[in-house]
Amino acid sequence: MKICVIGLGYIGLPTAAMFASSGHTVVGFDVNKKVIEALNQGKVIIEEPYLEEMVEKAVKQGTLRASDKPEEADAFIICVPTPILPDKSPDLSYVESGVKVIIPYLKKGNIVILESTSPPGTTRDFMGSILREAGFNPEEDLYVAYCPERVLPGKILKELRENSRVVGGINEKSAEVVKNLYKSFVEGEIYTSDATTAEMCKLMENTYRDVNIALANELAMLCEKMGVNAWDVIRFANKHPRVNLHMPGPGVGGHCIAVDPWFIVSNQPETAKIINLARNTNDGMPHYVFEKIKNLTSDVDGVRKVCILGVTYKPDVDDMRESPIIELIHLLTEDKIFETVVVDSHVDYEGSKDRNLYDAAEGAHLVVLAVNHNEFKNVDFGRIKNAMKCPRVLDTRNFWDASIVEKEGLEYHLLGWGRHKR
Ligand SMILES: NC(=O)c1ccc[n+]([C@@H]2O[C@H](COP(=O)([O-])OP(=O)(O)OC[C@H]3O[C@@H](n4cnc5c(N)ncnc54)[C@H](O)[C@@H]3O)[C@@H](O)[C@H]2O)c1
């Protein structure tokens, strides 16, 4: 088939590359010219293992290219962003433009797939009405389906192939046709359903995780008050065969877990009570950590220098979207008693990329392990101690071994561990 992919980001580009490597011809369209230029040279502008190799090969073989406008095709796959507005309601403007942009190229018998994570009803009602206005009867003229992604950044290509997926059609025929298309490269099970069930399924997958992380964060805050180590509680509780407590942390970020539950809350605010509370608990974590930092440095006279390790929303990726660490840094910089210096080789956040950890720790009153990037695992705690003015660290991820850190003469503080009562 000839497939036209709209939106070549973390989801659209790997999906395009997979189809192009599975016997289809793929043309990608993106509003960002840099993405188009890079792709046509066989390059990618995002960090994702093995993606560039795959793209380069497909471009060389002539099965993948990008264009500055969509083209006629057998199937259109829309992978545009679906963020939230400041009032936490869904912003469907990208989906709207992503559907409208294909209208001039759409013919009867075409397949139209939405991959973007979307509020319930987006495929059938929102997309359906745009298609209807353009003169199509979606049920009869086209095959329309919602086919969400479950991939993990850092393992996208592997998971695109191996994960099971759900395809929600606006009718059974659409679901079957789209299922067959994805069978080109998906080795996991492909389940079919209706579009709104599939939309709700995707939202609940991330909501499940968000609610469980909120529970872990509440546990961490409780344990700090009780003088208990939350990480031990979790470790031992999870020995129970039917318990799976999640891990606490300085907040929840990314384009998915920190966003998707709001789609349910804004759709059903009266009923989605736990989901709403969990979102607010997780959104409150940067502030909680900020207060902790304030407390841990309360003995410092004058400006308190805090060295932050990691700024992305999760380890070993170059993605800062909705990162709680950015919120934490804003809180620290707004408060004039703090001076912050950030280290993160994955992204350039105010010089973070090229900064040496030990130079950054020079004269610091606190080092905060904010993101558990691999690069921070085996740091030289002796060197950190010698560089710092007050030798103390705050580990927000249970990433470091307290005994190793303390052996080097640093004071070790862990989020969720009520050991040090200051
Ligand atoms: N990144 C993930 O891990 C992940 C996982 C599952 C689901 N999703 C969902 O997939 C969707 C896409 O996410 P992403 O991470 O790929 O986003 P992204 O920001 O990386 O990519 C989106 C791309 O779409 C382009 N774009 C925006 N409007 C466009 C338009 N009208 N026409 C053409 N291109 C347009 C942007 O320039 C960008 O390159 C979102 O709904 C997201 O929630 C993402």
Side-chain angles (χ1 to χ4, degrees), residues 64-75:
L64 176 63
R65 67 191 162 80
S67 169
D68 59 1
K69 52 184 181 316
E71 291 180 10
E72 288 193 353
D74 302 300

Side-chain angles (χ1 to χ4, degrees), residues 141-158:
D141 299 341
L142 303 164
Y143 302 105
V144 180
Y146 177 66
C147 188
E149 268 313 331
R150 302 178 154 154
V151 291
L152 182 72
K155 287 191 181 159
I156 291 183
L157 296 179
K158 182 175 185 294

Side-chain angles (χ1 to χ4, degrees), residues 118-344:
S118 300
T122 305
T123 311
R124 198 193 52 204
D125 304 332
F126 187 78
M127 237 171 78
S129 70
I130 300 172
L131 294 170
R132 252 178 238 112
E133 270 170 33
F136 292 95
N137 178 346
E139 280 87 7
E140 287 175 15
D141 299 341
L142 303 164
Y143 302 105
V144 180
Y146 177 66
C147 188
E149 268 313 331
R150 302 178 154 154
V151 291
L152 182 72
K155 287 191 181 159
I156 291 183
L157 296 179
K158 182 175 185 294
E159 295 212 347
L160 270 176
R161 186 174 286 115
E162 292 176 6
N163 288 359
S164 64
R165 353 185 19 137
V166 55
V167 172
I170 57 162
N171 49 30
E172 276 180 30
K173 183 71 188 153
S174 294
E176 277 310 314
V177 167
V178 172
K179 175 179 173 173
N180 283 333
L181 179 60
Y182 278 87
K183 271 189 183 167
S184 317
F185 65 83
V186 174
E187 290 165 9
E189 285 293 330
I190 305 180
Y191 303 94
T192 55
S193 179
D194 64 274
T196 311
T197 301
E199 285 160 350
M200 199 53 192
C201 173
K202 169 68 196 174
L203 296 180
M204 276 315 286
E205 289 164 15
N206 284 337
T207 298
Y208 165 84
R209 300 189 60 210
D210 197 46
V211 169
N212 276 284
I213 295 166
L215 186 63
N217 282 332
E218 190 163 301
L219 170 69
M221 293 185 279
L222 287 169
C223 287
E224 288 198 359
K225 287 211 162 84
M226 294 171 179
V228 172
N229 185 335
W231 303 87
D232 282 344
V233 174
I234 293 167
R235 189 158 54 98
F236 299 134
N238 283 348
K239 301 290 177 201
H240 184 298
R242 285 168 296 283
V243 171
N244 178 23
L245 286 172
H246 285 34
M247 301 299 159
V252 172
H255 192 22
C256 296
I257 301 179
V259 171
D260 303 352
W262 289 123
F263 293 173
I264 301 176
V265 175
S266 87
N267 192 285
Q268 299 295 330
E270 296 297 319
T271 314
K273 291 198 178 83
I274 293 176
I275 300 173
N276 193 1
L277 180 60
R279 261 306 51 244
N280 284 311
T281 301
N282 290 336
D283 274 358
M285 288 312 288
H287 197 266
Y288 183 80
V289 174
F290 167 67
E291 289 296 334
K292 217 172 152 56
I293 291 172
K294 231 173 164 177
N295 187 253
L296 286 172
T297 54
S298 59
D299 54 357
V300 177
D301 287 331
V303 175
R304 310 173 188 180
K305 182 174 171 185
V306 180
C307 175
I308 309 273
L309 305 188
V311 67
T312 57
Y313 85 89
K314 59 176 253 174
D316 303 318
V317 296
D318 65 345
D319 194 342
M320 290 191 285
R321 287 177 293 180
E322 314 289 330
S323 171
I325 313 308
I326 291 178
E327 166 79 4
L328 173 64
I329 295 167
H330 283 166
L331 289 168
L332 289 164
T333 38
E334 269 168 23
D335 192 328
K336 299 287 174 240
I337 57 169
F338 290 105
E339 176 197 332
T340 54
V341 55
V342 183
V343 183
D344 195 323

Side-chain angles (χ1 to χ4, degrees), residues 77-90:
I77 305 180
I78 299 164
C79 307
V80 294
T82 43
I84 38 167
L85 294 165
D87 69 353
K88 311 292 186 198
S89 65

Side-chain angles (χ1 to χ4, degrees), residues 9-72:
Y10 286 94
I11 295 302
L13 184 54
T15 303
M18 280 303 232
F19 276 114
S21 310
S22 316
H24 300 283
T25 305
V26 180
V27 59
F29 164 68
D30 199 291
V31 288
N32 182 349
K33 293 214 166 13
K34 280 189 193 149
V35 173
I36 296 178
E37 279 165 26
L39 193 150
N40 285 331
Q41 290 165 16
K43 295 196 167 16
V44 303
I45 63 166
I46 52 174
E47 198 179 274
E48 180 59 37
Y50 313 113
L51 180 60
E52 190 155 86
E53 290 89 323
M54 193 180 215
V55 165
E56 191 185 4
K57 198 169 162 203
V59 169
K60 270 193 187 141
Q61 281 172 348
T63 54
L64 176 63
R65 67 191 162 80
S67 169
D68 59 1
K69 52 184 181 316
E71 291 180 10
E72 288 193 353

